[in-house]
Amino acid sequence: MSEALEVTVTAPVVSFRNPLYDGLQIELPCPPPSTVGGMLAAAAGGWDRVPPHTRFAMTFHAAGSGRDLETYHPLGSPGTTTNATIKDRDFLALVTLTVWLTEDIGLWARAIRRPVWPLRLGRSQDLVAVTARRVELTTSTGRQNRAVVPFGLPNATGTAMRLTTAISADRARFTWDDYRYDPAGARTEIDTGLATGGGQALALLPPVHPDRST
């Protein structure tokens, strides 16, 4: 058996824009790994305090969805002005994100207990509540459920998505990877080498540190 830090994140409303669609507000059904990594970096106090090898497994669930209106500020050429406009924006409601960290557990337990910066998920106004506990893991198969998993994982099902894994500190470079996610919860049995006591398979995702994007 091994140990992990299980971090549970809840929020009333979140929204994750798909950057593959320039100028359009197309939303993702789950947070990209880079977004979750950014939240962890905020807890630690910045990327310089995050070990470069940091990886995690995660599941995500939204109880509902909706659409609101948001002010949108188009980018203009240097020295020019642009007019703000209103656009529809889809959102997910009553969400729960669960993250498992298997390394540097003491560091992350302290960071989650006393975050350096406010913790957000998606839009800057979407604050979250976070709790953490240490759990025992087993080396066995488990159910996929609502896990975000690497695309090539044998037997994994769900929607194929290309998500950002890491973003450089100056936001000039992005690292993209292929993933699968089933918002309804896949009962598929998968072998990732790790599972919780409750039978949730833990698929560790690639490192999210900005150094990976260089």
Side-chain angles (χ1 to χ4, degrees):
M1 299 185 78
S2 58
E3 188 179 48
L5 186 70
E6 182 183 271
V7 180
T8 302
V9 181
T10 57
V13 173
V14 297
S15 181
F16 311 111
R17 190 180 72 82
N18 191 334
L20 286 173
Y21 296 87
D22 187 28
L24 299 176
Q25 300 298 312
I26 305 299
E27 305 303 320
L28 294 167
C30 64
S34 60
T35 295
V36 178
M39 184 193 67
L40 293 174
W47 282 112
D48 58 334
R49 299 185 181 182
V50 175
H53 58 260
T54 296
R55 303 173 65 192
F56 50 78
M58 70 176 188
T59 62
F60 181 78
H61 173 59
S65 62
R67 178 172 294 175
D68 62 10
L69 296 174
E70 186 169 67
T71 303
Y72 175 72
H73 297 273
L75 293 176
S77 302
T80 64
T81 60
T82 58
N83 295 322
T85 186
I86 302 296
K87 284 193 173 184
D88 290 336
R89 180 126 182 178
D90 295 330
F91 65 85
L92 301 171
L94 302 177
V95 305
T96 301
L97 166 72
T98 307
V99 177
W100 289 268
L101 295 141
T102 59
E103 296 185 81
D104 307 299
I105 293 176
L107 180 155
W108 291 116
R110 292 189 297 272
I112 297 301
R113 185 170 59 250
R114 297 181 65 87
V116 176
W117 295 331
L119 302 186
R120 300 178 173 90
L121 195 62
R123 294 182 292 188
S124 60
Q125 64 265 43
D126 294 334
L127 294 173
V128 301
V130 183
T131 60
R133 63 173 185 147
R134 294 175 185 253
V135 297
E136 294 292 333
L137 305 180
T138 62
T139 54
S140 63
T141 61
R143 292 181 301 276
Q144 181 179 334
N145 295 326
R146 294 183 175 89
V148 178
V149 301
F151 177 80
L153 185 66
N155 298 326
T157 63
T159 302
M161 296 181 296
R162 191 154 180 80
L163 304 175
T164 51
T165 300
I167 302 175
S168 64
D170 60 3
R171 302 190 67 82
R173 297 176 302 280
F174 294 73
T175 297
W176 299 83
D177 289 296
D178 296 325
Y179 299 92
R180 286 191 182 275
Y181 172 66
D182 187 345
R187 303 300 294 176
T188 309
E189 195 82 5
I190 55 177
D191 187 3
T192 62
L194 290 174
T196 67
Q200 172 66 59
L202 301 188
L204 291 174
L205 305 181
V208 295
H209 198 281
D211 285 354
R212 186 173 181 262
S213 65
T214 59

